[in-house]
């Protein structure tokens, strides 16, 4: 690593960041990945996207399949060794890497050490920008009132709460209206939403009603799984509220249709 | 039944990876912990304990009347009965500490345990706790527990010098003043309440509808 | 183990019914707002909250690590004070002990304070089978006794009932006492229950209560109530019987003080519940009231089996109900959906341990792992982690749903082969994007009815991130 070229300043000033894309962003919303790259580069990071990443293994882990989760965790740990930081635009996936990987290897000293080393270096995107890189404002404009849903894993496993709000406050034209019960689960829960669709529907309907009652024109959040769920429900209910990942707004990359909208409806 | 006792203790020990009772060295440590209890974390209670007690008791809808001395007790009780339309047939705990009260002759007084139809009781209290506005009442021949629960109105005469900061202070006093626990220790924080119908609080569920502390001194 | 017959297999169907039950939704809506807000204010008012939680946890962990000693110490102290201690390994044993005590007392009418362990062991049925008249005295318990239903919450057993439903119940059942007018206001309903139950209190032969704590220092059993019903139950009858799980013992009165500070705030948002009562043995020789006999029944019923593994955390539970009040699944489906005595997150951990995972497989799975329960648990019980342990056990014994198992295996198969994974997701993303190109979403998708039954599926943008990145195609 010490041999790699350092165009500006010492390495510590321009840390090498491995982007954990997340499987949902990869497939459903590449725009969030590019927004993350832009925000990280604007914050002085060199961003790389390791080839070998697929899924963090959380679906297996939360379904009681620790063996498969371990296989995938090893794959992620190997792919991301050597970076100064590992960053992803999802509190849920990064919580998996940060909080749960070390537990997966409780009885395996060698892998536990590697998991701990990864855990120490991995961060959710918005909290990384704010807490580690000291970003206090972004150059972006978004003319709308927005409301913000706190996704559970980011909030409770990684303490992501004030950072997105602080960054969003610097976006020109944006006004934040707090969402009632913003810290209550939207009913996504990974495989939960398809295993218990009736309960999930009730939860996401409550959430959508809070969003609608907030009067905001846009709903933001930090986790694509929850956003797909809420956008899908809002659309089915006929609500015009637009849904974006907070990173897209912070990066000024809202020229693409909102989540769940097409060329025809935007 | 003793089979069950042996089985449960054996199962507990097995779960704790033991087959025998704790070795004496460990047991002595536990005996020590129980014999000389230590307070754990206590929320800060700043300022005057009596004022705090009054504020907290009032906050939970307990009534508090401060009296400079015991000569005002009878009048305070007359006022209570008038205000809340309570008959003046009252039951006073057979507590020698209440013998000195100069009752107005409006009152018809019995000194006994409570009965179902009693409307108002007067009892003493062992202590008050400033932290939460809680009364400590001990059962005994002079202070039957039923007086604390059956009547509609429960009037408690509390000496302000008996107000302590935390409940742990009351336990310490109790340990030093008495060798054993009475049958019943009641910690009472306000009048009887229920929230069982649509989570709305209603007073006077089964116990007293009104709790009135006459705080002396 | 026994206890009431489980109906947890029916979870999914029952959930559907309750979500569409307007009475339940109205009642739960009120409860959710009340409990959550009151707890939050009460906790915010105590700067020492986190230290209290840590201290509470430490007290319980210490006691559990020496549980045999503390149980024996407690027993010795109860006896010293003239009380009796009985031990029960199973639910049946516990019920038999209580019934025998009632019979020995020549009892006909038994008043009961709220006790979750009594529900757990199926004591109500046992008392009925023995021909005893059982009167529940906690207002919530009384309401559900009239309705012939089990509790739906561990501290607010009738939380699922609206005021209107209570009016109907009282109107129907109180006629026999000459109370014929249908009361509709809260205070009048409370007053009516007070009047009816007062007579029962005064004429009961035996009073049965649970215990929030058993104090080893003094041999005291402790109950915490707001109504005063527990105190009339343990003071007026000739015999007082306490049913308590063996995990309820803690060392000293000072330790109760710490946990009491956590309990009421977590449960109802009060600093202290109205009545906290320490009962130590029967009435003393010179006392003017109080029971002349006092019995404590110590119940294991599977607890010792939890002690030696990761589920020992659950033995710290003080039954405050905060986890269920904050659980979005519980507040959506109500307590009866869980199909057994314990409900919400704590129930989803405990029930499989007590009735077997075969009969309760849904419970650990019907959770989004959102973590709100653990966040508010005063005893720092890692509830989602314990639910995951259940899932691991289900997976290991192939008790998880076959279809979900197959899909996950397929996903894992792909995800561990990055090259193959890339080809599949690139293709999938493009196909889905094409299907949803115009509207940006899909209203229906084969095999995804669980999702598209109630929400659209936002369509992928088209090219995957990885493919675009590798090709150097960045927006703008």
């Amino acid at each position: 690593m010490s041999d790699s070229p350092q165009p500006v300043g010492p390495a510590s000033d321009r840390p090498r960041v491995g982007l954990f894309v997340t499987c949902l962003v990869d497939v459903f919303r590449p725009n969030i990945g590019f927004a993350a790259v832009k925000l990280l580069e604007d914050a002085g990071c060199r961003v790389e996207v390791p080839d070998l990443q697929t899924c963090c293994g959380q679906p297996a882990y939360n379904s009681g399949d620790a063996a498969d989760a371990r296989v995938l965790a090893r794959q992620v740990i190997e792919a991301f060794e050597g970076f100064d930081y590992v960053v992803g635009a999802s509190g849920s996936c990064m919580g998996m890497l940060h909080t749960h990987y070390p537990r997966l290897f409780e009885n395996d000293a060698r892998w536990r050490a590697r998991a701990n080393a990864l855990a120490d270096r991995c961060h959710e995107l918005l909290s990384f920008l704010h807490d580690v890189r000291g970003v206090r404002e972004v150059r972006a404009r978004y003319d709308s009132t927005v409301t913000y849903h706190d996704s559970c894993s980011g909030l409770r496993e990684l303490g992501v709460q004030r950072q997105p709000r602080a960054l969003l406050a610097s976006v020109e034209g944006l006004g934040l209206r707090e969402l009632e019960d913003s810290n209550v689960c939207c009913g996504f829960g990974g495989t939960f939403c398809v295993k218990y669709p009736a309960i999930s529907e009730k939860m996401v309907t409550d959430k959508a009603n809070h969003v609608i009652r907030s009067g905001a024109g846009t709903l933001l959040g930090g986790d694509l799984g929850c956003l797909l769920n809420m956008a899908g429900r809002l659309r089915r209910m006929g609500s015009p509220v637009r849904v974006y990942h907070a990173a897209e707004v912070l990066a000024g990359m809202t020229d693409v249709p909102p989540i769940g909208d097409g060329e025809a409806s935007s | 039944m003793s089979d069950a006792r042996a089985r449960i203790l054996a199962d507990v020990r097995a779960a704790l990876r033991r087959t025998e009772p704790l070795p004496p060295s460990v047991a002595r440590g536990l005996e020590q912990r129980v014999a000389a209890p230590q307070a754990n974390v206590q929320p800060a209670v700043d300022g005057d304990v009596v004022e705090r007690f009054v504020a907290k008791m009032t906050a939970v809808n307990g009534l508090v009347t401060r009296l400079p001395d015991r000569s005002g007790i009878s009048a305070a009780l007359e006022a209570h009965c008038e205000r809340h339309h309570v008959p003046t047939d009252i039951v006073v705990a057979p507590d020698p500490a209440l013998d000195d009260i100069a009752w107005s002759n409006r009152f018809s007084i019995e000194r006994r345990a409570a009965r179902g139809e009693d409307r108002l009781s007067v009892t003493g209290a062992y202590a008050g706790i400033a932290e939460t506005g809680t009364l400590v009442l001990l059962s005994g021949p002079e202070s039957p527990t039923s007086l604390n629960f059956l009547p509609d109105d429960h009037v408690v005469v509390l000496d302000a010098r008996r107000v302590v900061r935390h409940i742990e202070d009351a336990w310490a006093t109790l340990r030093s003043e008495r060798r054993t626990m009475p049958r019943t220790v009641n910690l009472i924080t306000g009048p009887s309440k229920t929230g069982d119908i649509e989570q709305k609080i209603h007073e006077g569920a089964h116990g007293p509808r009104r709790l009135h502390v006459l705080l002396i001194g | 183990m026994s206890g009431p017959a489980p109906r947890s297999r029916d979870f999914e169907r029952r959930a559907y019914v309750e979500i569409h039950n307007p009475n339940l939704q109205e009642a739960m809506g009120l409860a959710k707002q009340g409990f959550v807000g009151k707890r939050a204010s009460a906790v915010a008012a105590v700067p020492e909250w986190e230290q209290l939680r840590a201290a509470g946890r430490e007290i319980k962990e210490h006691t559990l690590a020496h549980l045999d000693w503390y149980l024996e110490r407690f027993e010795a102290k109860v006896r010293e004070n003239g009380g009796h201690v009985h031990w029960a390994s199973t639910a049946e044993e516990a019920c038999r002990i209580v019934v025998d005590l009632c019979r020995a007392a020549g009892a006909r009418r038994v008043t009961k304070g709220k006790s979750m362990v009594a529900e757990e062991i199926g004591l109500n049925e046992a008392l009925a089978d023995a021909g005893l008249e059982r009167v529940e005295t906690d207002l919530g318990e009384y309401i559900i006794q009239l309705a012939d239903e089990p509790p739906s919450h561990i501290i607010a057993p009738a939380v699922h009932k609206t005021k209107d439903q209570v009016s109907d119940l009282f109107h129907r059942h109180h006629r026999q006492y000459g109370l014929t007018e249908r009361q509709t206001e809260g205070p009048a309903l409370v007053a009516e229950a007070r009047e009816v139950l007062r007579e029962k209190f005064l004429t009961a032969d035996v009073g049965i209560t649970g215990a929030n704590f058993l104090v080893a220092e003094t041999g005291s059993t402790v109950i915490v109530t707001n109504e005063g019903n527990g105190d009339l139950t343990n003071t007026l009858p000739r015999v007082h019987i306490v049913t308590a799980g063996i995990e309820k013992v803690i060392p000293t009165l000072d330790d109760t003080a710490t946990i009491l500070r956590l309990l009421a705030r977590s449960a109802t948002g009060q600093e202290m519940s109205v009545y906290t009562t320490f009962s130590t043995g029967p009435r003393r020789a010179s006392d003017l009231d109080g029971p002349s006999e006092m019995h404590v029944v110590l119940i294991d019923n599977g607890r010792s089996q939890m002690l030696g593994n990761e589920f020992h955390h659950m033995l710290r539970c003080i039954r405050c109900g905060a986890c269920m009040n904050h659980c979005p699944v519980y507040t959506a489906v109500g307590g009866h959906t869980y199909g057994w005595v314990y409900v919400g997150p704590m129930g989803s951990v405990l029930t499989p341990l007590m009735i077997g995972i075969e009969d309760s497989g849904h419970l650990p799975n019907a959770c989004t792992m959102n973590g709100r329960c653990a966040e508010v648990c005063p005893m720092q019980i890692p509830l989602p982690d314990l639910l995951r342990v259940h899932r691991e056990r289900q997976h290991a014994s192939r008790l998880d749903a076959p279809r979900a198992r197959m899909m996950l295996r397929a996903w894992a198969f792909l995800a561990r082969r990055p090259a193959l994974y890339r080809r599949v997701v690139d293709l999938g993303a493009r196909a889905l994007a094409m299907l949803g190109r115009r509207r940006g979403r899909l209203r229906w998708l084969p095999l995804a009815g669980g999702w598209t039954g109630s929400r659209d599926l936002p369509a992928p943008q088209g090219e995957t991130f990885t493919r675009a990145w590798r090709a150097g195609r960045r927006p703008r």
Side-chain angles (χ1 to χ4, degrees), chain B residues 5 13 33 56 146 175 183 192 194 196 207, chain C residues 68 75 140 194 217 227 234 255 271 280-281 289:
Chain B
R5 182 182 191 278
R13 285 174 190 137
R33 191 188 188 292
K56 287 290 179 184
S146 53
R175 287 185 197 106
R183 147 70 193 174
S192 162
T194 182
D196 274 345
Chain C
D68 53 333
E75 178 191 42
R194 178 185 173 105
E217 176 191 355
E227 298 179 3
N234 69 24
D255 294 323
E271 291 187 347
T280 313
D289 57 17

PDB file of all heavy atoms in Angstrom, chain B residues 5 13 33 56 146 175 183 192 194 196 207, chain C residues 68 75 140 194 217 227 234 255 271 280-281 289:
ATOM      1  N   ARG B   5     -37.617 -30.315  45.374  1.00  0.00           N
ATOM      2  CA  ARG B   5     -36.580 -29.405  45.874  1.00  0.00           C
ATOM      3  C   ARG B   5     -35.202 -29.908  45.449  1.00  0.00           C
ATOM      4  O   ARG B   5     -34.382 -29.166  44.889  1.00  0.00           O
ATOM      5  CB  ARG B   5     -36.675 -29.330  47.397  1.00  0.00           C
ATOM      6  CG  ARG B   5     -35.685 -28.380  48.035  1.00  0.00           C
ATOM      7  CD  ARG B   5     -35.835 -28.417  49.563  1.00  0.00           C
ATOM      8  NE  ARG B   5     -35.092 -27.327  50.184  1.00  0.00           N
ATOM      9  CZ  ARG B   5     -33.798 -27.358  50.427  1.00  0.00           C
ATOM     10  NH1 ARG B   5     -33.077 -28.416  50.063  1.00  0.00           N
ATOM     11  NH2 ARG B   5     -33.189 -26.336  50.991  1.00  0.00           N
ATOM     12  N   ARG B  13     -27.712 -26.487  39.792  1.00  0.00           N
ATOM     13  CA  ARG B  13     -26.255 -26.679  39.909  1.00  0.00           C
ATOM     14  C   ARG B  13     -25.668 -27.248  38.633  1.00  0.00           C
ATOM     15  O   ARG B  13     -24.595 -26.822  38.198  1.00  0.00           O
ATOM     16  CB  ARG B  13     -25.953 -27.590  41.096  1.00  0.00           C
ATOM     17  CG  ARG B  13     -26.129 -26.851  42.409  1.00  0.00           C
ATOM     18  CD  ARG B  13     -25.975 -27.735  43.636  1.00  0.00           C
ATOM     19  NE  ARG B  13     -26.390 -26.961  44.798  1.00  0.00           N
ATOM     20  CZ  ARG B  13     -27.143 -27.429  45.793  1.00  0.00           C
ATOM     21  NH1 ARG B  13     -27.546 -28.688  45.781  1.00  0.00           N
ATOM     22  NH2 ARG B  13     -27.475 -26.646  46.790  1.00  0.00           N
ATOM     23  N   ARG B  33     -22.645 -10.343  51.518  1.00  0.00           N
ATOM     24  CA  ARG B  33     -23.399  -9.414  50.659  1.00  0.00           C
ATOM     25  C   ARG B  33     -24.819  -9.228  51.188  1.00  0.00           C
ATOM     26  O   ARG B  33     -25.386  -8.142  51.139  1.00  0.00           O
ATOM     27  CB  ARG B  33     -23.447  -9.966  49.225  1.00  0.00           C
ATOM     28  CG  ARG B  33     -23.982  -8.973  48.183  1.00  0.00           C
ATOM     29  CD  ARG B  33     -24.179  -9.652  46.834  1.00  0.00           C
ATOM     30  NE  ARG B  33     -24.506  -8.742  45.752  1.00  0.00           N
ATOM     31  CZ  ARG B  33     -25.633  -8.058  45.621  1.00  0.00           C
ATOM     32  NH1 ARG B  33     -26.557  -8.162  46.567  1.00  0.00           N
ATOM     33  NH2 ARG B  33     -25.851  -7.264  44.592  1.00  0.00           N
ATOM     34  N   LYS B  56     -43.332  15.438  45.094  1.00  0.00           N
ATOM     35  CA  LYS B  56     -43.530  14.152  44.424  1.00  0.00           C
ATOM     36  C   LYS B  56     -44.873  13.527  44.780  1.00  0.00           C
ATOM     37  O   LYS B  56     -45.563  12.967  43.929  1.00  0.00           O
ATOM     38  CB  LYS B  56     -42.389  13.188  44.790  1.00  0.00           C
ATOM     39  CG  LYS B  56     -41.078  13.535  44.114  1.00  0.00           C
ATOM     40  CD  LYS B  56     -41.178  13.251  42.623  1.00  0.00           C
ATOM     41  CE  LYS B  56     -39.889  13.606  41.900  1.00  0.00           C
ATOM     42  NZ  LYS B  56     -40.029  13.407  40.440  1.00  0.00           N
ATOM     43  N   SER B 146     -54.963  -3.584  56.890  1.00  0.00           N
ATOM     44  CA  SER B 146     -56.252  -3.363  56.221  1.00  0.00           C
ATOM     45  C   SER B 146     -56.653  -1.892  56.243  1.00  0.00           C
ATOM     46  O   SER B 146     -57.354  -1.429  55.349  1.00  0.00           O
ATOM     47  CB  SER B 146     -57.338  -4.232  56.880  1.00  0.00           C
ATOM     48  OG  SER B 146     -57.356  -3.998  58.275  1.00  0.00           O
ATOM     49  N   ARG B 175     -33.531  -1.815  59.479  1.00  0.00           N
ATOM     50  CA  ARG B 175     -32.615  -2.859  59.970  1.00  0.00           C
ATOM     51  C   ARG B 175     -32.052  -2.495  61.340  1.00  0.00           C
ATOM     52  O   ARG B 175     -31.882  -3.361  62.195  1.00  0.00           O
ATOM     53  CB  ARG B 175     -31.442  -3.037  58.993  1.00  0.00           C
ATOM     54  CG  ARG B 175     -31.822  -3.744  57.709  1.00  0.00           C
ATOM     55  CD  ARG B 175     -30.584  -3.997  56.846  1.00  0.00           C
ATOM     56  NE  ARG B 175     -30.974  -4.293  55.479  1.00  0.00           N
ATOM     57  CZ  ARG B 175     -30.855  -3.463  54.445  1.00  0.00           C
ATOM     58  NH1 ARG B 175     -30.316  -2.267  54.613  1.00  0.00           N
ATOM     59  NH2 ARG B 175     -31.261  -3.819  53.253  1.00  0.00           N
ATOM     60  N   ARG B 183     -44.761  -8.494  59.152  1.00  0.00           N
ATOM     61  CA  ARG B 183     -45.445  -9.289  58.119  1.00  0.00           C
ATOM     62  C   ARG B 183     -45.545  -8.482  56.812  1.00  0.00           C
ATOM     63  O   ARG B 183     -45.261  -8.986  55.743  1.00  0.00           O
ATOM     64  CB  ARG B 183     -46.836  -9.693  58.611  1.00  0.00           C
ATOM     65  CG  ARG B 183     -47.934  -9.812  57.570  1.00  0.00           C
ATOM     66  CD  ARG B 183     -47.807 -10.969  56.604  1.00  0.00           C
ATOM     67  NE  ARG B 183     -48.749 -10.794  55.468  1.00  0.00           N
ATOM     68  CZ  ARG B 183     -48.812 -11.569  54.400  1.00  0.00           C
ATOM     69  NH1 ARG B 183     -47.991 -12.581  54.275  1.00  0.00           N
ATOM     70  NH2 ARG B 183     -49.681 -11.327  53.460  1.00  0.00           N
ATOM     71  N   SER B 192     -54.983   4.784  45.077  1.00  0.00           N
ATOM     72  CA  SER B 192     -55.178   3.630  44.200  1.00  0.00           C
ATOM     73  C   SER B 192     -55.566   4.087  42.797  1.00  0.00           C
ATOM     74  O   SER B 192     -56.346   5.019  42.633  1.00  0.00           O
ATOM     75  CB  SER B 192     -56.294   2.773  44.808  1.00  0.00           C
ATOM     76  OG  SER B 192     -56.826   1.887  43.853  1.00  0.00           O
ATOM     77  N   THR B 194     -56.034   2.737  38.384  1.00  0.00           N
ATOM     78  CA  THR B 194     -55.971   1.691  37.373  1.00  0.00           C
ATOM     79  C   THR B 194     -55.891   2.339  35.997  1.00  0.00           C
ATOM     80  O   THR B 194     -56.419   3.428  35.787  1.00  0.00           O
ATOM     81  CB  THR B 194     -57.191   0.754  37.425  1.00  0.00           C
ATOM     82  OG1 THR B 194     -57.018  -0.256  36.420  1.00  0.00           O
ATOM     83  CG2 THR B 194     -58.485   1.498  37.134  1.00  0.00           C
ATOM     84  N   ASP B 196     -56.489   0.120  33.379  1.00  0.00           N
ATOM     85  CA  ASP B 196     -56.856  -1.086  32.632  1.00  0.00           C
ATOM     86  C   ASP B 196     -57.992  -0.889  31.633  1.00  0.00           C
ATOM     87  O   ASP B 196     -58.291  -1.790  30.863  1.00  0.00           O
ATOM     88  CB  ASP B 196     -57.207  -2.231  33.594  1.00  0.00           C
ATOM     89  CG  ASP B 196     -55.957  -2.998  34.014  1.00  0.00           C
ATOM     90  OD1 ASP B 196     -54.919  -2.820  33.346  1.00  0.00           O
ATOM     91  OD2 ASP B 196     -56.018  -3.753  34.990  1.00  0.00           O
ATOM     92  N   GLY B 207     -58.223   0.203  46.228  1.00  0.00           N
ATOM     93  CA  GLY B 207     -57.751   0.817  47.461  1.00  0.00           C
ATOM     94  C   GLY B 207     -58.345   2.213  47.588  1.00  0.00           C
ATOM     95  O   GLY B 207     -59.283   2.577  46.880  1.00  0.00           O
TER      96      GLY B 207
ATOM     97  N   ASP C  68     -28.701 -21.430  43.351  1.00  0.00           N
ATOM     98  CA  ASP C  68     -29.027 -22.443  44.358  1.00  0.00           C
ATOM     99  C   ASP C  68     -28.871 -21.876  45.762  1.00  0.00           C
ATOM    100  O   ASP C  68     -29.725 -22.061  46.628  1.00  0.00           O
ATOM    101  CB  ASP C  68     -28.171 -23.704  44.159  1.00  0.00           C
ATOM    102  CG  ASP C  68     -26.681 -23.410  44.097  1.00  0.00           C
ATOM    103  OD1 ASP C  68     -26.304 -22.281  43.706  1.00  0.00           O
ATOM    104  OD2 ASP C  68     -25.872 -24.304  44.443  1.00  0.00           O
ATOM    105  N   GLU C  75     -35.463 -19.524  51.226  1.00  0.00           N
ATOM    106  CA  GLU C  75     -36.309 -20.530  51.876  1.00  0.00           C
ATOM    107  C   GLU C  75     -36.130 -20.506  53.396  1.00  0.00           C
ATOM    108  O   GLU C  75     -37.100 -20.499  54.163  1.00  0.00           O
ATOM    109  CB  GLU C  75     -35.955 -21.912  51.330  1.00  0.00           C
ATOM    110  CG  GLU C  75     -36.731 -23.049  51.969  1.00  0.00           C
ATOM    111  CD  GLU C  75     -36.155 -24.419  51.581  1.00  0.00           C
ATOM    112  OE1 GLU C  75     -34.905 -24.565  51.566  1.00  0.00           O
ATOM    113  OE2 GLU C  75     -36.951 -25.315  51.284  1.00  0.00           O
ATOM    114  N   GLY C 140     -57.949  -5.520  34.945  1.00  0.00           N
ATOM    115  CA  GLY C 140     -57.742  -6.082  33.607  1.00  0.00           C
ATOM    116  C   GLY C 140     -58.000  -7.580  33.594  1.00  0.00           C
ATOM    117  O   GLY C 140     -58.657  -8.117  32.699  1.00  0.00           O
ATOM    118  N   ARG C 194     -65.273  -2.101  41.478  1.00  0.00           N
ATOM    119  CA  ARG C 194     -64.861  -1.978  42.877  1.00  0.00           C
ATOM    120  C   ARG C 194     -65.955  -2.520  43.797  1.00  0.00           C
ATOM    121  O   ARG C 194     -65.685  -3.292  44.715  1.00  0.00           O
ATOM    122  CB  ARG C 194     -64.572  -0.503  43.187  1.00  0.00           C
ATOM    123  CG  ARG C 194     -64.177  -0.210  44.629  1.00  0.00           C
ATOM    124  CD  ARG C 194     -64.038   1.305  44.850  1.00  0.00           C
ATOM    125  NE  ARG C 194     -63.821   1.630  46.244  1.00  0.00           N
ATOM    126  CZ  ARG C 194     -62.649   1.993  46.747  1.00  0.00           C
ATOM    127  NH1 ARG C 194     -61.588   2.089  45.977  1.00  0.00           N
ATOM    128  NH2 ARG C 194     -62.525   2.266  48.020  1.00  0.00           N
ATOM    129  N   GLU C 217     -32.490 -11.753  51.577  1.00  0.00           N
ATOM    130  CA  GLU C 217     -32.094 -11.139  52.851  1.00  0.00           C
ATOM    131  C   GLU C 217     -33.146 -11.365  53.930  1.00  0.00           C
ATOM    132  O   GLU C 217     -32.814 -11.675  55.077  1.00  0.00           O
ATOM    133  CB  GLU C 217     -31.882  -9.625  52.641  1.00  0.00           C
ATOM    134  CG  GLU C 217     -31.555  -8.866  53.927  1.00  0.00           C
ATOM    135  CD  GLU C 217     -31.612  -7.341  53.764  1.00  0.00           C
ATOM    136  OE1 GLU C 217     -31.817  -6.865  52.623  1.00  0.00           O
ATOM    137  OE2 GLU C 217     -31.452  -6.641  54.779  1.00  0.00           O
ATOM    138  N   GLU C 227     -53.534  -0.850  41.785  1.00  0.00           N
ATOM    139  CA  GLU C 227     -54.937  -0.820  42.183  1.00  0.00           C
ATOM    140  C   GLU C 227     -55.130  -1.067  43.674  1.00  0.00           C
ATOM    141  O   GLU C 227     -56.101  -0.623  44.258  1.00  0.00           O
ATOM    142  CB  GLU C 227     -55.715  -1.868  41.377  1.00  0.00           C
ATOM    143  CG  GLU C 227     -55.688  -1.580  39.887  1.00  0.00           C
ATOM    144  CD  GLU C 227     -56.423  -2.622  39.068  1.00  0.00           C
ATOM    145  OE1 GLU C 227     -57.004  -3.552  39.664  1.00  0.00           O
ATOM    146  OE2 GLU C 227     -56.414  -2.504  37.833  1.00  0.00           O
ATOM    147  N   ASN C 234     -53.724 -10.327  49.585  1.00  0.00           N
ATOM    148  CA  ASN C 234     -52.756 -10.973  50.483  1.00  0.00           C
ATOM    149  C   ASN C 234     -52.959 -10.606  51.945  1.00  0.00           C
ATOM    150  O   ASN C 234     -52.228 -11.084  52.810  1.00  0.00           O
ATOM    151  CB  ASN C 234     -51.310 -10.721  50.015  1.00  0.00           C
ATOM    152  CG  ASN C 234     -50.881  -9.280  50.178  1.00  0.00           C
ATOM    153  OD1 ASN C 234     -51.422  -8.536  50.998  1.00  0.00           O
ATOM    154  ND2 ASN C 234     -49.894  -8.876  49.401  1.00  0.00           N
ATOM    155  N   ASP C 255     -31.274  -4.240  46.703  1.00  0.00           N
ATOM    156  CA  ASP C 255     -31.323  -4.661  45.299  1.00  0.00           C
ATOM    157  C   ASP C 255     -32.729  -4.483  44.714  1.00  0.00           C
ATOM    158  O   ASP C 255     -32.885  -4.130  43.545  1.00  0.00           O
ATOM    159  CB  ASP C 255     -30.880  -6.119  45.163  1.00  0.00           C
ATOM    160  CG  ASP C 255     -29.397  -6.292  45.530  1.00  0.00           C
ATOM    161  OD1 ASP C 255     -28.598  -5.396  45.208  1.00  0.00           O
ATOM    162  OD2 ASP C 255     -29.050  -7.326  46.141  1.00  0.00           O
ATOM    163  N   GLU C 271     -42.770   6.667  38.254  1.00  0.00           N
ATOM    164  CA  GLU C 271     -41.506   6.538  38.994  1.00  0.00           C
ATOM    165  C   GLU C 271     -41.602   5.352  39.942  1.00  0.00           C
ATOM    166  O   GLU C 271     -40.642   4.608  40.127  1.00  0.00           O
ATOM    167  CB  GLU C 271     -41.231   7.815  39.783  1.00  0.00           C
ATOM    168  CG  GLU C 271     -40.911   8.978  38.866  1.00  0.00           C
ATOM    169  CD  GLU C 271     -40.464  10.205  39.633  1.00  0.00           C
ATOM    170  OE1 GLU C 271     -40.634  10.242  40.871  1.00  0.00           O
ATOM    171  OE2 GLU C 271     -39.940  11.123  38.982  1.00  0.00           O
ATOM    172  N   THR C 280     -43.814 -10.912  54.459  1.00  0.00           N
ATOM    173  CA  THR C 280     -42.804 -11.759  55.079  1.00  0.00           C
ATOM    174  C   THR C 280     -43.471 -12.668  56.096  1.00  0.00           C
ATOM    175  O   THR C 280     -43.783 -12.242  57.215  1.00  0.00           O
ATOM    176  CB  THR C 280     -41.725 -10.883  55.764  1.00  0.00           C
ATOM    177  OG1 THR C 280     -41.323  -9.857  54.857  1.00  0.00           O
ATOM    178  CG2 THR C 280     -40.517 -11.710  56.169  1.00  0.00           C
ATOM    179  N   GLY C 281     -43.741 -13.901  55.692  1.00  0.00           N
ATOM    180  CA  GLY C 281     -44.384 -14.846  56.605  1.00  0.00           C
ATOM    181  C   GLY C 281     -45.848 -14.488  56.840  1.00  0.00           C
ATOM    182  O   GLY C 281     -46.387 -13.562  56.229  1.00  0.00           O
ATOM    183  N   ASP C 289     -54.620  -8.130  61.830  1.00  0.00           N
ATOM    184  CA  ASP C 289     -55.092  -8.666  60.549  1.00  0.00           C
ATOM    185  C   ASP C 289     -53.924  -9.339  59.827  1.00  0.00           C
ATOM    186  O   ASP C 289     -52.831  -9.452  60.372  1.00  0.00           O
ATOM    187  CB  ASP C 289     -55.762  -7.582  59.689  1.00  0.00           C
ATOM    188  CG  ASP C 289     -54.863  -6.393  59.413  1.00  0.00           C
ATOM    189  OD1 ASP C 289     -53.614  -6.517  59.587  1.00  0.00           O
ATOM    190  OD2 ASP C 289     -55.372  -5.330  59.019  1.00  0.00           O
TER     191      ASP C 289
END
